[in-house]
Amino acid sequence: MRFSPLKRIILLTLSVLMGVQMIFAQTKSKENDGVSAIDQVYRAILSRYVAEIDPQKLSDAAIQGMLDELDPYSEHLYNDNSHRLDDITNGEYGGIGVNLGRLNDTLIVVSPMVGTPAFKQGILSGDRILKIDSVWTRDLDFEDASLMIRGEQGDTVTLLIERPGEQQRLSFELERELIKVPDISYSGILQDRMGYIRLSNFTKYSAEDLENALRNLVKANLNGLILDLRGNPGGLLSSALMSADLFLDQDRLLLETRGRIQRSNRKYLSKRPAVVDLQLPMAVLVDGGSASASEILSGILQDYDRAVVIGEPTFGKGLVQTVTQLSPETRLKLTTAKYYLPSGRLIQKREIAENIIYEDLPDSDKLLFFSGNNREFKSGEGVRPDLEVENLSLSDLEREMWRKRLFFKYALDYSNSHPGITLPINLADTQIDSFYQWLQVNNSYPKTKLQHWIDESSAIIDSSSVIAPELDVLRAKLSELELVRQQEEMQTNRVQLLSGLETEIASVIGGNGARVAASLKYDPVVNRAIELLASTSEVNEILAGKQRKSDF
């Protein structure tokens, strides 16, 4: 039987539609079978398990079990444990404006934020918070303590504080205000007229704050610009894209997202002219703590050869999460797409998505991608710096001092004994000797295994033993050698120790911004960036690519 061309087209169309319908029906059937199996197991556990099970806890465990099989970023959030997500989304919260920390088992004020209720009422760095309203903090979880201090604007919170040097405990009744999360930790002019900006988060205000900082800096007729994204964990995609707008021409492709559903597939273009001169030499600093939005911004500027990326390889998070309100009490943060940079490369690292129930990350890791100047990049490895420079590595001594907060404790004592001290902090080398004496007086010098043996051996050996006198002589000799070793160790780590002291003293006096500014003095990555930007020829050499047609 012969059919007309029109009938053949109709029959072919019907066949295709029927095939699609059958595939859809099979998929839907598998989905229904899965839901039915989950429901049957859930009901069986509730009705027949040997012990009575709380339905809500069982439901939460089942949801968490499913999400654990996906990726590290998909989460089931209750409104009472999602305040960090709200901070990122809103960039603000109701509170009193203190940066908190733990010192041994005590909740302490690391620094009050300038202009906040805590700052205005005279709360100081080093204050020990003993009680929040009627709750003692000694056994209080750090997150719970943070949540208790936060609250609605206009509400009050009472803190009972113990302050070094004060005989009486102090009580502060503070009215909560809207506290803006500081996205710009510090901005200023470094040596050789190099502008510097430390961007710590990507909230809804980040791009606006970044633009204001840039406009203030460019008034100084900069020779170069350093954007520091080290330790920036990311945040809002929109904020990263608006930040990229500040450095590029209008109508440039910034990013593409691809997912399973149509609304996840989008292309984002720059929407405005650059705020800074496109010829101004620029460096972006990154490390393993730079993730997500930080990788998007640094990757965009790298793809367009707009900046030299300096530091260490980034974290490698290139997945998009969207948040859905499931109920008045719960939300679902679910990965729905992947990020692709202008060159087409994927940021997401495979090792971050191991042991999951799908195998499509990354989907283009064997291909090469090219920048505007045709520099080669690989997909699926985060953002690799154009110039790799490591941060100063911590010695065992420094690590232990930071862990025990010895720099901070010394800074408190130092600032109390030097009431007229002002910023910037520039300590003489002899301050290392003063610090060492302070450690000895306070019996705080980190102990080595040898020192532990010296201390413990007297309790192990009976003083009446015939070898006790010889052991006493040995311990004395070893103790002398240990003191010599300590003094040599202090001198070997002199630069790092001075940096730690100046950083913490600056923090106590001037807050987090002063802390960041003080830390730059000994920062090898920042110093390398300054050196690089001062050399136009070296910048051009790094950014130059192969002579071939660009792919975008």
Side-chain angles (χ1 to χ4, degrees):
M1 181 182 294
R2 295 179 63 83
F3 296 102
S4 68
L6 178 59
K7 285 184 178 180
R8 285 201 297 270
I9 292 173
I10 292 173
L11 288 171
L12 180 60
T13 302
L14 288 173
S15 298
V16 171
L17 289 174
M18 289 175 65
V20 170
Q21 193 171 28
M22 287 176 64
I23 293 171
F24 178 79
Q26 291 172 357
T27 303
K28 196 68 178 176
S29 176
K30 289 182 180 179
E31 181 181 315
N32 290 336
D33 289 345
V35 172
S36 177
I38 293 171
D39 182 62
Q40 289 178 52
V41 172
Y42 179 81
R43 293 180 183 277
I45 292 173
L46 290 181
S47 61
R48 304 203 303 272
Y49 188 68
V50 64
E52 186 174 352
I53 302 295
D54 184 312
Q56 186 61 58
K57 290 182 178 179
L58 181 61
S59 175
D60 289 346
I63 292 170
Q64 190 59 51
M66 287 188 285
L67 293 175
D68 286 345
E69 292 297 322
L70 302 180
D71 60 75
Y73 313 112
S74 294
E75 297 180 79
H76 184 228
L77 301 169
Y78 279 92
N79 287 342
D80 61 357
N81 70 356
S82 60
H83 64 280
R84 289 188 183 277
L85 177 63
D86 291 333
D87 289 351
I88 291 173
T89 303
N90 300 321
E92 57 194 22
Y93 62 91
I96 61 171
V98 287
N99 294 308
L100 299 176
R102 275 280 185 194
L103 193 60
N104 300 323
D105 58 355
T106 304
L107 186 69
I108 66 164
V109 176
V110 175
S111 62
M113 297 164 62
V114 177
T116 63
F119 182 86
K120 293 173 184 175
Q121 289 211 29
I123 288 180
L124 303 177
S125 295
D127 282 350
R128 296 170 172 86
I129 302 176
L130 305 180
K131 191 160 68 170
I132 304 171
D133 290 329
S134 60
V135 180
W136 294 95
T137 62
R138 183 179 180 87
D139 298 317
L140 193 62
D141 180 82
F142 184 80
E143 286 292 316
D144 292 338
S146 299
L147 285 174
M148 287 185 65
I149 290 176
R150 298 183 183 193
E152 294 295 324
Q153 297 177 64
D155 290 351
T156 59
V157 60
T158 300
L159 303 182
L160 181 65
I161 281 177
E162 185 177 74
R163 179 172 293 168
E166 296 281 351
Q167 297 297 319
Q168 301 293 324
R169 291 173 174 176
L170 308 173
S171 181
F172 291 84
E173 184 177 352
L174 303 118
E175 183 175 323
R176 296 183 179 98
E177 294 180 1
L178 188 66
I179 306 298
K180 184 180 174 185
V181 178
D183 297 326
I184 305 290
S185 304
Y186 175 77
S187 66
I189 308 293
L190 307 182
Q191 64 192 68
D192 299 332
R193 291 212 315 275
M194 297 296 173
Y196 175 89
I197 299 175
R198 168 75 66 85
L199 184 60
S200 301
N201 304 282
F202 284 94
T203 71
K204 69 178 182 180
Y205 295 113
S206 298
E208 179 184 342
D209 291 348
L210 180 57
E211 180 174 354
N212 291 335
L214 285 169
R215 290 190 182 279
N216 285 329
L217 289 178
V218 295
K219 295 175 184 177
N221 190 26
L222 300 177
N223 288 327
L225 176 65
I226 301 170
L227 178 61
D228 195 342
L229 300 179
R230 290 176 297 173
N232 185 326
L236 297 179
L237 169 62
S238 57
S239 178
L241 297 178
M242 287 189 290
S243 297
D245 276 354
L246 304 173
F247 304 102
L248 297 169
D249 285 327
Q250 195 169 348
D251 296 325
R252 292 288 193 106
L253 174 65
L254 299 179
L255 192 74
E256 184 177 359
T257 61
R258 304 174 199 165
R260 289 175 59 209
I261 59 176
Q262 185 58 41
R263 65 172 177 268
S264 295
N265 300 321
R266 295 189 59 182
K267 290 185 177 181
Y268 299 87
L269 305 180
S270 53
K271 297 179 179 180
R272 54 178 292 183
V275 169
V276 296
D277 186 346
L278 295 177
Q279 301 306 312
L280 180 69
M282 183 176 174
V284 178
L285 312 187
V286 297
D287 64 9
S290 307
S292 191
S294 292
E295 296 174 288
I296 290 170
L297 178 55
S298 58
I300 290 170
L301 297 178
Q302 188 180 51
D303 273 6
Y304 281 111
D305 306 298
R306 178 62 189 87
V308 177
V309 179
I310 304 177
E312 301 174 54
T314 62
F315 185 79
K317 179 183 181 295
L319 302 177
V320 186
Q321 285 77 48
T322 54
V323 180
T324 304
Q325 192 82 36
L326 301 179
S327 72
E329 296 80 26
T330 63
R331 287 179 279 181
L332 177 65
K333 182 158 74 83
L334 187 68
T335 298
T336 55
K338 307 175 198 173
Y339 295 123
Y340 294 85
L341 293 172
S343 62
R345 58 180 166 141
L346 179 66
I347 296 170
Q348 182 69 29
K349 288 182 179 177
R350 181 181 293 278
E351 54 263 34
I352 298 176
E354 287 180 339
N355 302 319
I356 53 179
I357 57 177
Y358 62 95
E359 287 295 336
D360 67 338
L361 287 175
D363 56 7
S364 54
D365 58 344
K366 294 183 179 179
L367 301 178
L368 289 177
F369 298 86
F370 299 91
S371 73
N373 289 342
N374 297 296
R375 294 185 295 145
E376 292 183 355
F377 302 119
K378 290 183 179 179
S379 185
E381 57 179 22
V383 174
R384 298 199 67 85
D386 302 308
L387 190 60
E388 291 204 22
V389 180
E390 292 184 359
N391 284 311
L392 281 173
S393 58
L394 292 178
S395 66
D396 291 339
L397 173 65
E398 294 170 82
R399 190 174 292 106
E400 192 68 7
M401 285 183 172
W402 282 112
R403 189 183 71 81
K404 292 185 174 181
R405 307 208 67 170
L406 296 177
F407 294 119
F408 179 70
K409 291 177 183 178
Y410 181 81
L412 291 174
D413 284 357
Y414 186 88
S415 60
N416 288 333
S417 61
H418 296 75
I421 190 171
T422 58
L423 298 171
I425 306 299
N426 292 298
L427 301 177
D429 284 0
T430 53
Q431 199 63 45
I432 294 298
D433 298 327
S434 299
F435 181 43
Y436 178 67
Q437 292 169 11
W438 178 89
L439 292 169
Q440 294 297 326
V441 169
N442 290 277
N443 194 28
S444 295
Y445 197 96
K447 292 183 178 181
T448 61
K449 291 180 179 179
L450 174 60
Q451 188 62 55
H452 280 296
W453 182 88
I454 295 171
D455 294 342
E456 294 169 1
S457 61
S458 59
I460 297 173
I461 303 300
D462 188 342
S463 59
S464 62
S465 170
V466 294
I467 63 170
E470 295 181 17
L471 279 175
D472 288 339
V473 173
L474 175 61
R475 278 197 296 268
K477 290 291 184 182
L478 290 175
S479 294
E480 290 176 8
L481 290 173
E482 178 64 10
L483 287 174
V484 172
R485 187 201 63 78
Q486 288 178 4
Q487 293 166 356
E488 290 178 348
E489 189 175 37
M490 293 287 287
Q491 291 305 316
T492 300
N493 294 280
R494 181 183 57 81
V495 172
Q496 294 94 320
L497 296 178
L498 278 174
S499 176
L501 293 173
E502 291 183 2
T503 295
E504 291 302 283
I505 294 171
S507 176
V508 168
I509 294 173
N512 191 52
R515 186 183 195 280
V516 174
S519 71
L520 302 179
K521 178 178 176 181
Y522 301 99
D523 190 324
V525 185
V526 171
N527 289 327
R528 182 66 180 93
I530 293 172
E531 177 188 351
L532 170 73
L533 295 179
S535 171
T536 304
S537 60
E538 187 177 4
V539 171
N540 291 338
E541 182 180 351
I542 290 174
L543 296 180
K546 298 176 181 178
Q547 298 302 309
R548 61 185 295 278
K549 187 177 179 181
S550 177
D551 292 336
F552 68 98

